[in-house]
Amino acid sequence: HAVGSQVGEVLLYYCYCEVRDPEKLCAWQKALCQHLHLTGKVRVASEGINGTVGGSKVATSLYIKVMLSQPLFKNILCQEDFKRSAGGAHCFPDLRVGVFKEIVPMGIDPKIVSYKETGIHLSPQEFHREVEQYLSQATQGQSDTILLDCRNFYESKIGHFQGCLAPDIRKFSYFPSYVDENLELFKDKRVLMYCTGGIRCERGSAYLRSKAVCREVYQLKGGIHKYLEEFPDGFYRGKLFVFDDRYAICSNEDIISACRYCGVLWDQYKLCSSQHCRQLVLTCPSCCNKGLTACCPVCQEKALKVTSRASGRTLKEECECTRRRPRVPIEHVSPRMLDTGK
């Protein structure tokens, strides 16, 4: 396994295109990744492919080369569509390649809301200029623009664009309901959307546009990933959350979130120590040493009970974090009130 030993990288990419035989593409993709000793997650659907894979630099470069020469993606996918970051095969527990209905789980049939109806794509430079303008107008309280983060709350918590509206949602599949419940907020607005690598904006912007209330909908091409390559110290502050064992990528020194227990600045996630729970928790080293390693008191209690009982019964994930958060928050803010500072 010499391939995996040197310092490698993680690739993030997607490609919307017509896939006649998703099962066949899936089998090919699996064989390709195994051959190159890549780990990660790849979703295949009739609407395209979405993947994040890790391995040695030799392997990831070969992977890109093969992907670009695959007839299905020819003339659609290009070198720039692959977002690269330091990492490797060790960033993922295994390789998972599967066929799904959607390549990004929004929970809405691609036939009803298609990626073809997406918003206007802005390059990182164009997006940077737009945000700059938005922030200067917002300080005078006269902006007709909403800077919308369409990621989940735990992602935006550790890093986001200044002055953004970051929905308190737990899954992207709640995003459509969030839009429905807050339509008034988007009325006659120019919306600037962004996400990690751009894929959630493809369907999210299409959904928002289908409601026909916004003046215009724009999205950041290549997502935060590409923006940070150009502007590591720009308007995006904090870390970039990633869905692998690294949890976050760092581009500037800002820490914008705090330890759940003592409130000291802290932005490194750990998985809740209660084994049935899938929540991420921000707990600083000193609180960790005090044994504060669960996402909330309910889970902390459960963990103690489970260890003392040591029965094989698995408990359902049910903790304060999930119980207290409304599934879809209703915004009671005028965009003027949005925090435009850090």
Side-chain angles (χ1 to χ4, degrees), residues 275-340:
Q275 66 198 72
H276 59 282
C277 183
R278 304 297 303 152
Q279 300 280 339
L280 290 166
V281 58
L282 290 171
T283 168
C284 73
S286 111
C287 288
C288 265
N289 291 339
K290 291 177 192 153
L292 299 168
T293 51
C295 65
C296 66
V298 174
C299 268
Q300 197 77 43
E301 278 297 296
K302 266 191 193 171
L304 294 171
K305 274 190 199 132
V306 172
T307 32
S308 62
R309 218 181 31 236
S311 70
R313 215 162 55 83
T314 51
L315 294 154
K316 192 170 139 281
E317 176 193 320
E318 183 57 63
C319 64
E320 233 172 71
C321 308
T322 40
R323 225 179 325 179
R324 290 233 298 273
R325 170 172 295 102
R327 207 180 126 136
V328 177
I330 314 284
E331 302 293 352
H332 298 293
V333 291
S334 70
R336 195 164 301 147
M337 285 157 54
L338 297 177
D339 170 28
T340 50

Side-chain angles (χ1 to χ4, degrees), residues 106-108 172-181 207 211:
M106 189 166 83
I108 292 201
F172 185 56
S173 55
Y174 298 169
F175 181 77
S177 319
Y178 175 82
V179 169
D180 295 352
E181 298 287 336
Y207 187 81
K211 297 287 152 183

Side-chain angles (χ1 to χ4, degrees), residues 113 135 173 208 213 247:
V113 173
L135 288 173
S173 55
L208 192 52
V213 295
Y247 288 136

Side-chain angles (χ1 to χ4, degrees), residues 257-268:
S257 51
C259 168
R260 167 167 193 343
Y261 291 98
C262 72
V264 67
L265 285 176
W266 188 250
D267 63 5
Q268 290 173 41

Side-chain angles (χ1 to χ4, degrees), residues 10-14 41 50-52 80-85 92 104 122 124 127 148-161 172 192-204 219-230 236 239-244 246-250:
V10 169
L11 301 177
L12 177 68
Y13 72 92
Y14 66 88
K41 294 172 275 203
N50 171 19
T52 176
E80 278 66 64
D81 293 323
F82 291 87
K83 294 106 201 172
R84 314 163 95 129
S85 54
F92 301 91
V104 65
L122 299 179
F127 196 82
L148 181 64
D149 191 320
C150 51
R151 299 172 301 158
N152 305 326
F153 77 90
Y154 53 85
E155 299 174 77
S156 53
K157 195 186 213 166
I158 62 165
H160 54 240
F161 274 95
F172 185 56
L192 299 170
M193 293 176 89
Y194 69 88
C195 61
T196 311
I199 187 169
R200 282 180 274 187
C201 286
E202 299 282 14
R203 293 287 305 290
Q219 67 199 71
L220 172 56
K221 190 176 180 335
I224 302 161
H225 241 293
K226 286 289 179 193
Y227 177 85
L228 290 177
E229 281 177 23
E230 310 267 339
Y236 185 89
K239 301 217 178 11
L240 170 59
F241 185 94
V242 287
F243 289 90
D244 58 59
R246 297 171 300 172
Y247 288 136
I249 301 174
C250 177

Side-chain angles (χ1 to χ4, degrees), residues 17-287:
C17 59
E18 209 172 301
V19 180
R20 294 256 161 83
D21 191 344
E23 296 293 342
K24 190 178 167 189
L25 179 64
C26 179
W28 171 79
Q29 183 61 216
K30 202 171 192 168
L32 172 63
C33 291
Q34 283 168 343
H35 180 69
L36 293 172
H37 300 295
L38 296 174
T39 58
K41 294 172 275 203
V42 182
R43 289 175 73 99
V44 177
S46 52
E47 61 169 359
I49 187 169
N50 171 19
T52 176
V53 294
S56 71
K57 283 197 172 165
V58 174
T60 51
S61 300
L62 268 167
Y63 181 79
I64 294 176
K65 212 168 168 178
V66 174
M67 290 295 283
L68 294 179
S69 64
Q70 155 68 257
L72 268 177
F73 313 134
K74 254 204 160 114
N75 309 324
I76 312 175
L77 201 55
C78 65
Q79 192 89 30
E80 278 66 64
D81 293 323
F82 291 87
K83 294 106 201 172
R84 314 163 95 129
S85 54
H90 62 274
C91 296
F92 301 91
D94 50 22
L95 171 69
R96 287 179 198 178
V97 186
V99 174
F100 297 84
K101 194 166 183 170
E102 307 170 277
I103 57 172
V104 65
M106 189 166 83
I108 292 201
D109 193 318
K111 289 187 195 76
I112 297 168
V113 173
S114 161
Y115 65 91
K116 293 172 184 156
E117 307 300 320
T118 145
I120 299 160
H121 293 73
L122 299 179
S123 69
Q125 290 85 355
E126 293 169 320
F127 196 82
H128 186 76
R129 277 202 298 276
E130 280 287 346
V131 174
E132 191 165 32
Q133 204 178 341
Y134 157 70
L135 288 173
S136 70
Q137 285 172 346
T139 45
Q140 294 146 29
Q142 52 182 32
S143 184
D144 58 348
T145 302
I146 289 179
L147 178 55
L148 181 64
D149 191 320
C150 51
R151 299 172 301 158
N152 305 326
F153 77 90
Y154 53 85
E155 299 174 77
S156 53
K157 195 186 213 166
I158 62 165
H160 54 240
F161 274 95
Q162 286 168 248
C164 75
L165 170 63
D168 193 13
I169 53 174
R170 202 159 79 100
K171 292 177 174 169
F172 185 56
S173 55
Y174 298 169
F175 181 77
S177 319
Y178 175 82
V179 169
D180 295 352
E181 298 287 336
N182 293 286
L183 271 183
E184 267 308 298
L185 186 70
F186 296 108
K187 219 172 158 144
D188 303 323
K189 291 285 188 285
R190 297 172 74 246
V191 178
L192 299 170
M193 293 176 89
Y194 69 88
C195 61
T196 311
I199 187 169
R200 282 180 274 187
C201 286
E202 299 282 14
R203 293 287 305 290
S205 66
Y207 187 81
L208 192 52
R209 286 190 65 210
S210 75
K211 297 287 152 183
V213 295
C214 301
R215 227 175 62 217
E216 294 154 327
V217 180
Y218 297 95
Q219 67 199 71
L220 172 56
K221 190 176 180 335
I224 302 161
H225 241 293
K226 286 289 179 193
Y227 177 85
L228 290 177
E229 281 177 23
E230 310 267 339
F231 304 99
D233 218 12
F235 297 117
Y236 185 89
R237 307 312 301 174
K239 301 217 178 11
L240 170 59
F241 185 94
V242 287
F243 289 90
D244 58 59
D245 293 350
R246 297 171 300 172
Y247 288 136
I249 301 174
C250 177
S251 85
N252 55 59
E253 295 304 305
D254 286 14
I255 298 178
I256 65 162
S257 51
C259 168
R260 167 167 193 343
Y261 291 98
C262 72
V264 67
L265 285 176
W266 188 250
D267 63 5
Q268 290 173 41
Y269 277 121
K270 271 189 164 53
L271 214 47
C272 172
S273 57
S274 187
Q275 66 198 72
H276 59 282
C277 183
R278 304 297 303 152
Q279 300 280 339
L280 290 166
V281 58
L282 290 171
T283 168
C284 73
S286 111
C287 288

